[in-house]
Amino acid sequence: MLDRIIPTSLFRGHWKGLSDYRGTTPRPDKLSRLLVVGVPLAAGVLMLLNRGCLSAPGALLSAVALFSGGLLASFGQLSTLRLKLTDRAGDNQFSERIDRDYLDETAAHLLVAAYSAAVSAALLIMAMSFGADAAGRIGGVWAAVITTVTTYVFVVFIIALPRLYVAYTRINKVRRELSGTASTKL
């Protein structure tokens, strides 16, 4: 029953997606996992150690809210691509496995980023209500936590985009002359 509130399966799918699953046995992609965890933590620690502050939290709140909406819209498009593969799975079940894997991985990344963006928005609202100074700036632990979560959203989004592009080009059979996944001379 708590799985409706606690997104364990969502984050588990996201973490599993940070693997090399092209072979028979998936292997963790340690560099991607390090970046996904390390970069946001480093940003939050730097914010805290340097006594940084978020001087325009309202602008950041707007950006995070828009980002969350965009991520959910992207997920809708991704679902359509995945449905296209599911519908024709009988003909190409094995040859399109990697394409389906790309989409499945990207779906988890996009939803984790959207979820984290919503958490970031909630944290910003609480910090603006309880942790802002007289000038409306947010500093200290609030700023560090918000920076960590927001950076996490950005890093996950950056990881999802190339996967989404590769899946798009493969599923839609984009010509080599136009596909960024094929190296051709222009």
Side-chain angles (χ1 to χ4, degrees), residues 55-63 124 128 136:
S55 58
L60 184 57
L61 178 60
S62 297
L124 275 160
M128 290 167 66

Side-chain angles (χ1 to χ4, degrees), residues 19-168:
S19 300
D20 181 2
Y21 43 79
R22 291 173 294 179
T24 55
T25 305
R27 293 184 326 269
D29 181 351
K30 293 178 183 173
L31 179 59
S32 292
R33 289 180 178 189
L34 178 66
L35 289 173
V36 165
V37 174
V39 170
L41 286 176
V45 168
L46 285 172
M47 178 67 90
L48 193 59
L49 293 177
N50 291 320
R51 299 176 197 249
C53 71
L54 303 172
S55 58
L60 184 57
L61 178 60
S62 297
V64 167
L66 286 171
F67 205 59
S68 183
L71 289 164
L72 289 174
S74 296
F75 175 74
Q77 294 293 339
L78 185 80
S79 295
T80 301
L81 283 174
R82 183 60 167 96
L83 186 59
K84 182 177 180 179
L85 284 180
T86 301
D87 286 345
R88 67 182 196 197
D91 301 334
N92 308 303
Q93 184 174 359
F94 297 107
S95 63
E96 292 182 344
R97 183 187 65 113
I98 293 294
D99 299 338
R100 288 190 304 273
D101 290 347
Y102 279 156
L103 292 176
D104 295 339
E105 173 189 345
T106 306
H109 294 330
L110 290 176
L111 290 174
V112 162
Y115 184 88
S116 299
V119 168
S120 183
L123 289 169
L124 275 160
I125 291 168
M126 289 189 302
M128 290 167 66
S129 299
F130 304 117
D133 64 12
R137 294 181 304 239
I138 299 170
V141 174
W142 280 110
V145 170
I146 291 166
T147 298
T148 300
V149 175
T150 304
T151 304
Y152 181 76
V153 171
F154 180 73
V155 170
V156 172
F157 180 69
I158 293 301
I159 285 174
L161 284 180
R163 289 290 202 207
L164 189 56
Y165 179 69
V166 169
Y168 169 83

